[in-house]
Structures are given as C-alpha cells and as structure tokens.
Amino acid sequence: FCYMLSIPDPHGPNLVRAPYDTMYTDQLKAPATMNKSTEDLPWWGQPHEVLKRGFDSDDMAQYFGMVKCIDDNVGKILTAVRKAGLIKNTIILFTSDHGDMCYEHGRINKSIPFEASAKVPFVLYNPSQVDSGTIVNEALSCVDFMPTILGLMGVNPAGTEEGRNAAALFTDKTHFDWNDIAILRSSGSGDGWLAAATKRHKLVVTSDSSPWLFDMEKDPHELTNFFTEPTHREVIRSLSAQLLAYGATHKDPRIQLPRVKADLTWCAEGTGAYVPSEADNNQPKVRAKRKPKKKRNTRQKS
C-alpha cells in the first residue's frame, strides 16, 4: 500500500488550536541573522518590511505550536502502523516542499536560495535497510525522491525520470560515488535566480547582479560572498559547469539570459579577475532601504 498525507501547516497565517497556541509563548528570540547587515546582498537577500516591525515572538510561538501539533499527530499514525504489525516492513518518509525564513535575514516566507527557505527536512525510517542514526549530508533534490524510494523498494523505474536513485547513500556502508549537487531555481517565468548547491557551497546567479557564492562551513549564517576569493575559484568552476550542463539538458531559459550566460561562462572558463557583464544591467534593481533602528517597548502582530 501507499499512504500519502499532505499537511498544510506550518503555514501562514500562523494560528494553531489549544493547547499548542501557548506552548512556546515568551520562549522564542529573534534569529542571529535578523539584524545583521545585508547591505551588499542582491535583491533576493534584502530584508522585508517585517524588519521594520521587529521580531514577533507571538507569531513564531504559533508557528512552533503548529510544528509540535504535527509531531504529535504523525506520532499517532506511527502508533497505528505499529499496532497493525507493519512498522518493520514499511518505509516511512517525512519531508516538505520548502522551508520558511522565519525572520532569518529579516525575511518571512520562502522563494529565495537561503538555507532556511531552500533546504527541507528529509527523514526516512526503513529499519530493514537503513541503520538508525544514519545521516546523509550529500545534496539531493525533489526530483531524486521517486527514484530513491523505488530503489529502496527494489523496483526498477521506467527510465525516463530526471532524478537520481540515491538509495545507496542510505544503505551502502562503503564509499559511494555520488555527484554532490542539487540545482535550485526560483519559481515563475520571470528572470528570477538559479543556484547550484552542494553540502557546503552554493552558487547563485541572476540577470541583474553579480554572482554569490556561499560557504556554509565558514559562514553558516550566509552573510559573506566568497565569489571573489581565489581559494574558491575551483569550486566556482565546478558549480557553474554543472549549472551550464543542467541548462543545456533541460532547456532552462534562464541560462540563456545574457547576464547569466556571460557570468556562468566566465565562472566555468574565464581567467583573471571577474568583471561584471554589462548585459541586462538596464533592468531595475529591487532594493530595500534600511532605516535606523529604534528601541521598541511593544510588539506588533503580523
């Protein structure tokens, strides 16, 4: 059998029933990145208007209450599977379609390449094949979902899937040759952004700003652009080459945007110092102006 449960929460508006609505009241603080300088970030990393209102701990208390409510009720499903005697012969998977900024970098919601938005949970229980406590650090993406689950079931896919079978990452105790890469893109048909990510690095390109390279090991808060650092040149070459290959294979129109194409070509093949391309520079840039911080004695609801 296959049973799929789609849970809409946690999702705005952040509201949850009792007793979950008060479980985390007055327990939450603003994330470390909320008031850090984002002056040099491109448009996709600039703060929302929410930064001007300050951190709303009541709003986040409701969000965490929704998460706790989900935890408890998923637990009831697992209890039912155990009582039915099926727990040892059932693959259980908990995942999500996207994250939520939750005031990281002064933003809420999703649709940007920061980890809080783009990284999702992927918790798998399969005791007959996967040891408890197994951690997979390599980068996977949503298109790898189906081939991987079929691989754990011993079922051959049709062969037309765009994703990869990552089952061996969970089951193979020896070295497994895996291309540590995941391709991300913003939704919609506009220019947006494209990114290539590994477990440590992430390269983001757009049509109206210079590329950004994150190093999550050196900069877990994602505040520094390592793109011009000579020590990261080979990483940039590798990630950009994989973005170009992805664009050619899947006909992504964003690869053909003049600024994106010029930047990725330099990233993959260029020498010398990076010089921003003039292509697409006539496009309006989205910038959020920061106002001086003011002391606040009250909290406002979102």
Side-chain angles (χ1 to χ4, degrees):
F1 67 91
C2 177
Y3 178 72
M4 178 178 174
L5 176 63
S6 296
I7 305 170
D9 290 334
H11 198 284
N14 293 340
L15 296 170
V16 66
R17 62 178 172 82
Y20 301 98
D21 56 339
T22 58
M23 283 185 176
Y24 299 96
T25 300
D26 297 326
Q27 296 186 39
L28 302 171
K29 297 180 180 180
T33 61
M34 180 169 175
N35 295 312
K36 295 291 183 70
S37 173
T38 56
E39 182 178 352
D40 297 325
L41 282 174
W43 57 267
W44 49 259
Q46 291 296 323
H48 279 154
E49 291 293 312
V50 68
L51 187 64
K52 299 177 182 179
R53 301 199 302 270
F55 178 70
D56 190 337
S57 62
D58 293 335
D59 184 56
M60 283 293 94
Q62 294 284 318
Y63 184 96
F64 277 81
M66 285 188 281
V67 173
K68 174 60 175 171
C69 183
I70 291 170
D71 286 347
D72 289 350
N73 284 282
V74 169
K76 293 178 181 179
I77 296 173
L78 300 184
T79 297
V81 176
R82 288 189 181 94
K83 288 182 177 179
L86 299 170
I87 195 71
K88 294 183 179 180
N89 192 37
T90 301
I91 299 174
I92 297 170
L93 184 62
F94 185 92
T95 188
S96 177
D97 56 345
H98 59 79
D100 193 301
M101 293 304 294
C102 290
Y103 294 84
E104 293 275 359
H105 298 273
R107 295 179 67 97
I108 55 175
N109 215 325
K110 55 180 180 177
S111 301
I112 55 176
F114 282 129
E115 292 288 272
S117 169
K119 195 173 184 179
V120 301
F122 192 92
V123 183
L124 185 146
Y125 178 82
N126 183 14
S128 65
Q129 295 177 279
V130 182
D131 291 341
S132 176
T134 297
I135 297 175
V136 175
N137 289 312
E138 284 75 12
L140 292 89
S141 62
C142 295
V143 293
D144 302 322
F145 180 101
M146 182 178 69
T148 299
I149 300 303
L150 291 177
L152 290 170
M153 295 170 61
V155 176
N156 293 324
T160 57
E161 298 77 16
E162 295 179 356
R164 304 166 292 175
N165 179 2
L169 289 178
F170 296 87
T171 61
D172 195 345
K173 305 302 184 296
T174 61
H175 174 72
F176 180 64
D177 187 18
W178 175 261
N179 183 18
D180 181 27
I181 192 74
I183 304 297
L184 300 79
R185 76 189 307 278
S186 56
S187 58
S189 57
D191 289 356
W193 52 264
L194 279 169
T198 70
K199 56 179 170 285
R200 175 175 174 178
H201 297 100
K202 184 164 45 188
L203 178 68
V204 185
V205 293
T206 70
S207 66
D208 62 356
S209 58
S210 298
W212 264 73
L213 179 72
F214 292 107
D215 185 332
M216 274 81 75
E217 183 177 293
K218 291 186 175 180
D219 177 38
H221 290 317
E222 298 182 290
L223 294 168
T224 303
N225 187 2
F226 290 88
F227 182 70
T228 58
E229 294 286 337
T231 55
H232 287 73
R233 186 68 184 96
E234 291 308 310
V235 171
I236 292 169
R237 288 189 190 279
S238 174
L239 294 179
S240 57
Q242 300 215 55
L243 269 175
L244 287 168
Y246 150 80
T249 300
H250 299 287
K251 306 295 188 295
D252 192 321
R254 285 187 188 154
I255 292 289
Q256 299 303 320
L257 293 171
R259 174 71 183 266
V260 171
K261 188 174 182 179
D263 281 348
L264 286 178
T265 299
W266 180 89
C267 288
E269 304 170 2
T271 58
Y274 167 76
V275 178
S277 169
E278 293 299 321
D280 288 358
N281 277 350
N282 60 337
Q283 294 186 2
K285 293 178 174 58
V286 180
R287 293 288 182 266
K289 295 181 180 179
R290 295 171 60 90
K291 291 184 177 180
K293 299 175 188 175
K294 296 180 180 179
K295 292 184 178 181
R296 301 178 185 276
N297 296 320
T298 59
R299 291 193 299 266
Q300 292 182 343
K301 294 285 287 183
S302 292

